[in-house]
Amino acid sequence: MASYNTKDFIVGTIIGSIVGASTALLLTPKSGEEWRQDLSEGTQSVKQKSSGLTSEAYEKGSDWANRAKDKSSELAKNVSAQSSHLYERVKGSSGENEEKSAEELAKELNERIDESEEAAAEDVKKDVRDLHKDSTENNSNNT
């Protein structure tokens, strides 16, 4: 197996790049000034597109954060309401039935919390799918 000499490889790459760039400049149908202007216009176009994409990403990120905040707040309210309801039911029961009722009520509360979590997760997934669909449609309309 032949061993590569790194120095020779780098020198060959540099010489090849210089020859390729020179050939491109000599064979290009535009003058240097026209070529530089086209390059400048292309650079400005890329800057504008990247700026637009950056602002769009910030907007969508903020929107997703606000939706997640709203969903978590909604979930916290549901849990608080259900735990208050459970507390009132446990408080109203008495004697031996109290321990049994508390266990049953705790189980019921856990089931309701699980249902609320699943519903919130599905809502967030749906919102993400909708946002992704909207952004895909906007990108296809912009091109």
Side-chain angles (χ1 to χ4, degrees), residues 11-63:
V11 169
T13 302
I14 292 171
I15 291 171
S17 298
I18 292 170
V19 169
S22 300
T23 303
L25 286 174
L26 292 174
L27 297 177
T28 196
K30 295 181 179 182
S31 70
E33 187 177 324
E34 290 173 340
W35 185 77
R36 284 190 299 273
Q37 186 167 352
D38 287 349
L39 183 62
S40 177
E41 289 171 3
T43 303
Q44 291 299 323
S45 174
V46 168
K47 282 183 183 179
Q48 289 173 352
K49 286 182 181 179
S50 65
S51 176
L53 290 174
T54 301
S55 63
E56 186 178 334
Y58 279 122
E59 289 173 13
K60 287 185 181 184
S62 295
D63 189 35

Side-chain angles (χ1 to χ4, degrees), residues 2 10 23 31-32 44 52-53 71-72 78 93 109 115 134-135 141:
I10 292 173
T23 303
S31 70
Q44 291 299 323
L53 290 174
K71 295 294 180 183
S72 64
N78 287 340
S93 62
L109 177 61
E115 290 171 1
D134 290 346
S135 69
N141 289 338

